[in-house]
């Protein structure tokens, strides 16, 4: 951990960060004009599921979804073709971001249970043709920064021993950093769920994920000067994006509470709650002072799927549970006979074994 922290403070990391910030200024424009935009959430989930199955890095997953967004924005393709496009985007992204031995193989992809249910068989020739089309579409340039490329640099200073938790000094710094990283990862995955986040610069989305994580963890000040200097964003710059992330979080917590009540009525064992959820307005109203003591409960049931994420863009999430056609019903099924992968793109309960963060004083 100490060596890793030293690396992020080095000149090489700073140069890489500046190169990414310069590159994001030249990202392709996104208009959100795809005729299949209402299916976008479904295919983003498909990419996330397959990515988790092969344990690909977050940068590969985020790049794959971004490639899909740009391709859908420029071409009118059928739903069946979008399955091929989605998996080809994931393969291209994994080849760009991962080691060669971690890139999914054709045989392994075809052996996944969801492939037969989608009536899709990948061929070497078909994948090569689709990858060539994608590369030509992006002019052979896959150097496209996403929020996942910025988050680790921000997390390197996101928690400091001088921060306060509910007004008290932090006594377990490493534990706080672990929770910070897990919440940031959760909010990163939330940002994949709706194309509305594409209207923000990737570095801003990453900064908003860090600020939203500090809010949920009750760390103060919410946006300390060191993060403002590193990112170049003020709190006011982050509020529009952070608000959307917190709305999604509140929706998740409400859904978790609803499922917990249903389990109690059915006589199932549930874990005790540590409090109720503070509203988004409470989060954003006073960003630099102590926050309400109610701690949101991040643990979700294994098959949780909220009905909507962003109240301002429910129209784009009509296919949150998958498109309504005969060949895509098995997206909720396991990917292979031995592994039970939930159909949620991000599984919060896998990250948070505790109901809420607890710090020893």
């Amino acid at each position: 951990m100490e060596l890793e922290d030293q690396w992020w403070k080095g000149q090489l990391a700073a140069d890489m960060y500046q190169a990414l910030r310069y590159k994001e200024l030249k990202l392709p424009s996104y208009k959100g004009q795809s005729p299949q935009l209402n299916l976008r959430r479904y295919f983003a989930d498909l990419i996330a599921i397959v990515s988790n199955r092969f344990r690909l890095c977050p940068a590969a997953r985020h790049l794959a979804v971004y490639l899909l967004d740009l391709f859908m924005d420029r071409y009118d393709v059928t739903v069946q073709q979008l399955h091929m496009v989605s998996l080809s985007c994931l393969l291209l992204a994994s080849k760009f971001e991962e080691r060669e031995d971690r890139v999914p193989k054709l045989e392994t992809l075809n052996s996944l249970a969801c492939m037969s249910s989608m009536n899709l068989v990948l061929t070497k020739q078909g994948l090569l043709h689709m990858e060539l089309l994608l590369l030509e579409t992006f002019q052979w340039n896959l150097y496209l920064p996403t929020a996942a490329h910025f988050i680790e640099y921000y997390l390197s200073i996101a928690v400091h021993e001088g921060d306060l938790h509910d007004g008290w000094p932090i006594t377990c710094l490493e534990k706080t950093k672990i929770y910070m990283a897990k919440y940031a990862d959760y909010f990163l995955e939330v940002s994949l769920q709706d194309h509305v986040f594409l209207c923000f610069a990737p570095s801003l989305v990453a900064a908003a994920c860090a600020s939203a994580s500090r809010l949920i963890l009750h760390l103060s000040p919410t946006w300390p000067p060191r993060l403002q200097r590193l990112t170049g964003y003020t709190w006011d710059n982050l509020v529009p994006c952070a608000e959307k992330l917190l709305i999604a979080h509140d929706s998740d917590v409400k859904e978790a509470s609803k499922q917990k009540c249903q389990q109690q009525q059915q006589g199932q064992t549930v874990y005790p709650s540590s409090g109720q959820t503070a509203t988004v307005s409470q989060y954003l109203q006073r960003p630099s002072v102590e926050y309400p003591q109610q701690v949101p409960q991040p643990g979700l049931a294994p098959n949780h799927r909220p009905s909507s994420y962003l109240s301002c863009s429910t129209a784009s999430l009509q296919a949150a549970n998958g498109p309504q056609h005969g060949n895509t019903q098995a997206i909720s099924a396991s990917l292979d006979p031995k592994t039970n992968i939930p159909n949620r793109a991000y599984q919060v309960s896998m990250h948070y074994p505790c109901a809420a963060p607890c710090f020893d004083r």
Side-chain angles (χ1 to χ4, degrees), residues 157-160 163 211 214 219-231 233 288:
I157 65 166
V159 178
H160 188 266
D163 292 336
S211 65
R214 288 181 61 88
L219 297 177
S220 60
T222 303
W223 195 240
R226 66 178 186 276
L227 278 169
Q228 181 172 329
R229 288 192 299 268
L230 182 70
T231 65
Y233 295 116
S288 298

Side-chain angles (χ1 to χ4, degrees), residues 3 27 55 64 69 77 101 108 116 125-126 140-141 176 187 214 241 255-256 270 275 282 306 318 321:
L3 291 176
L27 287 175
R55 298 181 180 180
D69 283 327
V77 295
D101 60 333
T108 310
S116 58
Q125 188 66 26
W140 294 78
N141 175 32
T176 308
F187 282 118
R214 288 181 61 88
C241 184
E255 182 69 20
V270 295
Q282 287 176 307
Q318 296 174 358
N321 293 320

Side-chain angles (χ1 to χ4, degrees), residues 252-269:
D252 280 355
V253 175
K254 290 176 182 178
E255 182 69 20
S257 299
K258 179 181 178 181
Q259 293 197 3
K260 185 186 70 173
C261 293
Q262 293 176 350
Q263 291 175 353
Q264 289 177 334
Q265 294 175 356
Q266 297 172 0
Q268 299 179 5
T269 302

Side-chain angles (χ1 to χ4, degrees), residues 54-91:
F54 291 98
R55 298 181 180 180
L56 301 179
C57 65
R61 179 166 64 254
H62 281 251
L63 178 58
V65 175
Y66 187 45
L67 294 177
L68 175 65
D69 283 327
L70 294 178
F71 189 85
M72 290 178 62
D73 204 41
R74 302 181 186 187
Y75 293 93
D76 183 6
V77 295
T78 66
V79 173
Q80 185 67 13
Q81 289 173 325
L82 279 176
H83 287 90
M84 172 73 79
V85 172
S86 302
L87 295 175
S88 298
C89 287
L90 182 60
L91 285 176

Side-chain angles (χ1 to χ4, degrees), residues 177-202:
K177 287 183 177 181
I178 291 175
Y179 276 110
M180 182 70 190
K182 291 184 181 296
Y183 268 106
D185 179 66
Y186 161 76
F187 282 118
L188 268 183
E189 297 308 307
V190 168
S191 70
L192 284 182
Q193 303 304 307
D194 198 288
H195 70 281
V196 70
F197 288 98
L198 292 174
C199 69
F200 303 106

Side-chain angles (χ1 to χ4, degrees), residues 96-339:
F96 189 78
E97 297 288 349
E98 288 281 9
R99 302 193 312 267
E100 183 178 358
D101 60 333
R102 296 187 62 85
V103 176
K105 301 298 187 293
L106 176 62
E107 296 77 10
T108 310
L109 281 172
N110 280 327
S111 66
L112 299 179
C114 66
M115 300 296 289
S116 58
S117 62
M118 292 185 296
N119 193 24
L120 180 65
V121 178
L122 301 177
T123 64
K124 183 177 180 180
Q125 188 66 26
L127 281 178
L128 288 176
H129 176 77
M130 185 57 66
E131 287 184 359
L132 182 60
L133 176 59
L134 289 168
L135 288 170
E136 291 178 346
T137 299
F138 306 124
Q139 299 179 343
W140 294 78
N141 175 32
L142 298 183
Y143 181 26
L144 304 171
T146 68
H149 292 91
F150 292 96
I151 194 64
E152 289 190 19
Y153 191 61
Y154 294 163
L155 288 179
S156 65
I157 65 166
V159 178
H160 188 266
E161 58 185 5
D163 292 336
L164 299 178
H165 171 250
D166 279 337
W168 293 81
I170 297 176
T171 58
C172 188
L173 186 62
E174 294 304 317
K175 187 176 182 180
T176 308
K177 287 183 177 181
I178 291 175
Y179 276 110
M180 182 70 190
K182 291 184 181 296
Y183 268 106
D185 179 66
Y186 161 76
F187 282 118
L188 268 183
E189 297 308 307
V190 168
S191 70
L192 284 182
Q193 303 304 307
D194 198 288
H195 70 281
V196 70
F197 288 98
L198 292 174
C199 69
F200 303 106
S203 59
L204 188 146
V205 174
C209 290
S211 65
S213 300
R214 288 181 61 88
L215 275 168
I216 297 298
L217 292 173
H218 294 195
L219 297 177
S220 60
T222 303
W223 195 240
R226 66 178 186 276
L227 278 169
Q228 181 172 329
R229 288 192 299 268
L230 182 70
T231 65
Y233 295 116
T234 65
W235 172 253
D236 290 338
N237 298 143
L238 301 180
V239 166
C241 184
E243 184 177 19
K244 298 181 186 301
L245 295 171
L246 292 169
I247 289 173
H249 176 270
D250 284 356
S251 176
D252 280 355
V253 175
K254 290 176 182 178
E255 182 69 20
S257 299
K258 179 181 178 181
Q259 293 197 3
K260 185 186 70 173
C261 293
Q262 293 176 350
Q263 291 175 353
Q264 289 177 334
Q265 294 175 356
Q266 297 172 0
Q268 299 179 5
T269 302
V270 295
Y271 296 98
S273 171
S274 60
Q276 297 178 352
T277 306
T279 63
V280 173
S281 60
Q282 287 176 307
Y283 286 139
L284 298 177
Q285 187 176 5
R286 301 170 64 188
S288 298
V289 296
E290 190 173 342
Y291 291 91
Q293 298 298 314
Q294 294 89 345
V295 180
Q297 181 180 359
L300 301 184
N303 292 322
H304 161 63
R305 289 191 73 89
S307 58
S308 65
Y309 281 78
L310 302 176
S311 58
C312 60
S313 26
T314 53
S316 65
L317 300 182
Q318 296 174 358
N321 293 320
Q324 303 299 318
H325 57 87
N327 294 331
T328 58
Q329 296 177 355
I331 192 64
S332 60
S334 60
L335 291 177
D336 58 45
K338 299 181 180 179
T339 307

